[in-house]
Amino acid sequence: MSDQLELRLSGSGGQGLITAGIILAEAAIRDQKNAIQTQSYGPEARGGASKAEVIISNEAIDFPKVTIPNMTFALTQVAANKYISDVSKDGTVIVDDSIELPEGIVAKHIYKLPIIEAARNDVGKEIVANIIALGVIVELTKIVTKESLEAAIMARIPKGTETLNQMALQKGYELANQSK
Amino acid sequence: MSKVIKFLQGNEACVEGALMAGMRFYSGYPITPSTEIAELSSEKLPKVGGKFIQMEDEIAGIAAAIGASLTGKKAMTATSGPGFSLKQENIGYATIAEIPLVVVNVQRGGPSTGLPTSPGQGDVMQAKWGTHGDHPVICLTPDSVKETFDLTIRAFNLAEKYRTPVILLTDEITGHMREKIEIPDVSELEIYNRIVPEAGDDYKAYHVDDGDIVPKMAPFGGGFRYHVTGLMHDETGFPSNSTQNADVLIKRLMGKIEDNKEDIITYEAYETEDAEYLILSYGGTARTAKAAVKKLRAEGIKVGLFRLITVWPFPEEQVRALSEQVKDILVAELNFGQIKLEVERVVKGNANVRLCGKANGEILTPEELIKAFKEVL
């Protein structure tokens, strides 16, 4: 079980975090690993707090839910309050810089990055915050290869949005590199 | 021999399996957490010459599928708890009229509208006893995305072979979880199609020919004239109040499933060979159980997992045999002991039977299950 990586992405319904979770898992499969993705959300289609969980492993994955995440990620305050604090002590927390971290959170690395702002102002569309997030996460944690990530993104996004998403991904890498 | 690797939800895998099994008709009424089955069916069925209809409610959803199946199409409907309740009467109708059909119930937290987006396993007894009267039931339950694919195909095959509705009882865990799945080529699959009669004048819609398990099924409207009813009927299909006739019919309906249990029942026995203790589970919860068994085995405890794949008919003989070998059976399920009751009935006191269950919308964790297990040590 030690080589098993458990990740949790959270935000508000409609921000695309479940899609981001799917893309991460698909990238892991492209890396010849096993992956499983689960989610939880409320009855509402937009808003609320939603989370996507991804487990990546070289072996069969029995229990499908994350227990002690190696990485937690949040785009909104509500999601951060609910979903990031149980991160493993030697794990990583990544949040949008608009978020005030919950008290007492312990992790090896904690990053606060202007993800939503970069989506809105640098890329020009807030909807790609999830792709920026993927760039940030993969650049900081190397949980999947960049080749697989890019291939998985391109396979999931709507046709005609390739350039926009490529820009967002590069922006994610850039934000991560600036914070190192 | 083209193998395709996909990353799918259980609900999506259900549709892929249904299409490969030959589903050409879907009717239903969308309900969380089964909606993806309707959504994907609506997208894919027209591309293979099939039909998708969103009906006005759950009752019409199953009724239209029954009608389509009568005309010769392989039909499916999918729902969750509240919708499963509404479909019960027509499940009975399809049972007595012997109409092949696959009914998927992606279980959520109940009762009533309960917890729409959370898992539950509170419908296992409803799957058996939800419709009134004595009746046989075939009910299958998968624990993974791949098995959802496989069991959907098997559900169609069994429905066609035994001319009966088959309930595919999944849950929000396997329905919404995404996993890697290798989709086989259709040529590698065993697909069963109902036996249809040859043209002729002497067709009796409910007469079983020698060597057959069920009556040959003429596509309704295809030239054969016959009658279909939920009333007790004779071999012609017309209603009959004769107690003698009713006795023959109900015994045949029960017998066609009971006598073929060996063909219908499948299960997984994991690390049971030298087991002194047993965890029994099914569906999404069985994954928790397998993780727990692996951890307990690593501690040197001789525990095995018996996983129901066919819930109904219940694998009585297999569970009874294990109960003579183990000291304790811990049943793990997301309800207050529905299958535990069945296990108790079957083991007849051979082994202690305990429950690790809950129904609050959370799934059981391996830690919870291990803690409950260790109370016996």
Side-chain angles (χ1 to χ4, degrees):
Chain A
M1 292 272 224
S2 55
D3 71 330
Q4 185 160 308
L5 277 174
E6 304 192 357
L7 323 167
R8 185 185 298 133
L9 314 180
S10 62
S12 171
Q15 281 184 321
L17 273 319
I18 290 177
T19 304
I22 296 169
I23 289 171
L24 264 184
E26 284 179 334
I29 286 170
R30 286 174 189 265
D31 286 342
Q32 308 296 322
K33 293 184 176 167
N34 255 321
I36 196 163
Q37 181 268 332
T38 60
Q39 56 213 315
S40 90
Y41 52 89
E44 62 277 70
R46 296 285 180 272
S50 85
K51 67 169 172 172
E53 295 187 338
V54 179
I55 302 176
I56 299 172
S57 176
N58 289 317
E59 287 160 41
I61 302 162
D62 296 314
F63 185 62
K65 300 267 181 184
V66 163
T67 42
I68 302 169
N70 304 91
M71 188 216 71
T72 55
F73 174 91
L75 268 186
T76 65
Q77 189 67 50
V78 178
N81 294 346
K82 220 170 156 182
Y83 292 132
I84 65 172
S85 296
D86 61 345
V87 66
S88 150
K89 279 195 283 271
D90 54 3
T92 303
V93 174
I94 306 169
V95 295
D96 188 71
D97 71 349
S98 62
I99 288 167
E100 211 167 295
L101 285 167
E103 266 176 55
I105 190 164
V106 184
K108 192 173 175 188
H109 303 288
I110 296 181
Y111 300 96
K112 281 179 76 166
L113 301 172
I115 294 166
I116 292 176
E117 191 198 301
R120 195 187 296 136
N121 299 333
D122 300 342
V123 187
K125 283 214 191 295
E126 206 171 316
I127 199 163
V128 294
N130 63 340
I131 303 296
I132 299 183
L134 284 173
V136 167
I137 290 166
V138 170
E139 185 68 49
L140 288 175
T141 63
K142 312 287 182 205
I143 43 176
V144 295
T145 62
K146 283 187 177 176
E147 295 73 36
S148 295
L149 176 66
E150 284 168 36
I153 291 174
M154 289 306 145
R156 270 280 163 189
I157 56 168
K159 281 206 172 63
T161 64
E162 290 83 358
T163 316
L164 179 70
N165 281 291
Q166 194 55 251
M167 264 170 70
L169 183 62
Q170 295 307 325
K171 191 68 210 173
Y173 291 156
E174 203 183 301
L175 285 181
N177 283 320
Q178 284 163 3
S179 71
K180 275 182 188 170
Chain B
M1 295 281 272
S2 60
K3 284 206 169 73
V4 185
I5 306 255
K6 290 191 173 185
F7 188 65
L8 296 181
Q9 284 192 321
N11 284 347
E12 295 169 324
C14 171
V15 177
E16 298 288 348
L19 289 167
M20 280 210 171
M23 171 179 73
R24 289 298 177 269
F25 187 90
Y26 180 102
S27 55
Y29 188 79
I31 179 170
T32 303
S34 76
T35 306
E36 294 83 5
I37 298 176
E39 186 184 359
L40 200 59
S41 294
S42 74
E43 184 190 321
K44 294 211 159 188
L45 269 172
K47 293 178 184 166
V48 296
K51 288 271 188 292
F52 171 92
I53 306 183
Q54 179 171 324
M55 298 300 291
E56 70 270 29
D57 61 27
E58 293 277 5
I59 299 172
I62 183 172
I66 288 171
S69 178
L70 253 182
T71 70
K73 300 290 181 198
K74 290 189 185 176
M76 180 167 91
T77 187
T79 189
S80 186
F84 196 51
S85 294
L86 289 163
K87 292 188 191 302
Q88 291 303 326
E89 185 185 1
N90 272 328
I91 289 174
Y93 181 84
T95 304
I96 195 169
E98 297 183 80
I99 299 164
L101 179 69
V102 175
V103 180
V104 187
N105 175 8
V106 186
Q107 293 171 97
R108 65 192 220 182
S112 189
T113 36
L115 293 162
T117 57
S118 304
Q121 293 180 307
D123 307 348
V124 281
M125 276 298 170
Q126 188 188 19
K128 185 170 168 70
W129 297 119
T131 196
H132 57 276
D134 284 298
H135 55 275
V137 169
I138 299 178
C139 174
L140 314 175
T141 187
D143 78 336
S144 68
V145 169
K146 176 64 167 68
E147 199 173 77
T148 304
F149 175 86
D150 294 339
L151 289 189
T152 306
I153 295 172
R154 190 165 154 72
F156 273 98
N157 284 345
L158 292 171
E160 294 283 313
K161 186 171 182 180
Y162 296 105
R163 286 193 60 175
T164 191
V166 174
I167 294 160
L168 183 69
L169 198 63
T170 76
D171 48 59
E172 195 275 340
I173 304 167
T174 50
H176 276 167
M177 154 177 103
R178 286 183 177 83
E179 276 186 300
K180 183 164 80 171
I181 166 175
E182 202 176 281
I183 302 215
D185 191 82
V186 71
S187 64
E188 295 166 51
L189 300 171
E190 225 177 287
I191 305 294
Y192 192 95
N193 298 314
R194 67 190 70 171
I195 305 172
V196 295
E198 304 276 329
D201 295 330
D202 54 350
Y203 177 58
K204 282 188 185 151
Y206 289 95
H207 170 78
V208 184
D209 289 332
D210 284 346
D212 285 352
I213 302 169
V214 293
K216 292 188 171 65
M217 188 168 175
F220 205 79
F224 291 91
R225 285 165 62 87
Y226 66 101
H227 190 261
V228 184
T229 175
L231 291 164
M232 285 285 177
H233 44 270
D234 62 19
E235 288 190 336
T236 66
F238 283 97
S240 162
N241 255 342
S242 146
T243 51
Q244 203 181 1
N245 176 73
D247 193 53
V248 170
L249 176 56
I250 192 69
K251 281 180 178 161
R252 182 171 70 70
L253 291 178
M254 299 300 279
K256 71 180 177 181
I257 305 303
E258 177 67 23
D259 298 345
N260 291 289
K261 277 199 301 198
E262 270 182 43
D263 177 42
I264 297 166
I265 290 174
T266 58
Y267 56 90
E268 179 189 0
Y270 175 78
E271 301 269 24
T272 55
E273 222 161 80
D274 64 343
E276 291 167 10
Y277 302 93
L278 190 70
I279 296 178
L280 187 146
S281 193
Y282 54 94
T285 309
R287 301 178 71 111
T288 303
K290 191 174 261 185
V293 165
K294 283 181 182 173
K295 282 184 182 169
L296 289 164
R297 278 273 168 182
E299 293 176 26
I301 299 166
K302 289 188 173 171
V303 56
L305 166 69
F306 188 87
R307 178 168 72 86
L308 307 176
I309 299 175
T310 306
V311 188
W312 310 116
F314 194 76
E316 294 189 21
E317 283 160 33
Q318 293 79 2
V319 173
R320 189 174 302 127
L322 277 169
S323 74
E324 284 162 7
Q325 174 193 325
V326 301
K327 297 175 211 167
D328 184 86
I329 302 175
L330 180 62
V331 180
E333 53 186 337
L334 295 183
N335 59 52
F336 275 44
Q338 298 187 14
I339 288 296
K340 177 191 173 247
L341 273 176
E342 186 69 5
V343 173
E344 276 175 338
R345 180 186 73 76
V346 162
V347 308
K348 297 180 168 50
N350 284 336
N352 189 34
V353 181
R354 296 182 299 135
L355 169 71
C356 180
K358 62 175 170 182
N360 64 351
E362 286 173 350
I363 74 175
L364 282 171
T365 65
E367 289 67 34
E368 271 177 287
L369 190 50
I370 287 169
K371 189 165 168 255
F373 172 82
K374 284 190 170 170
E375 282 167 17
V376 78
L377 296 179

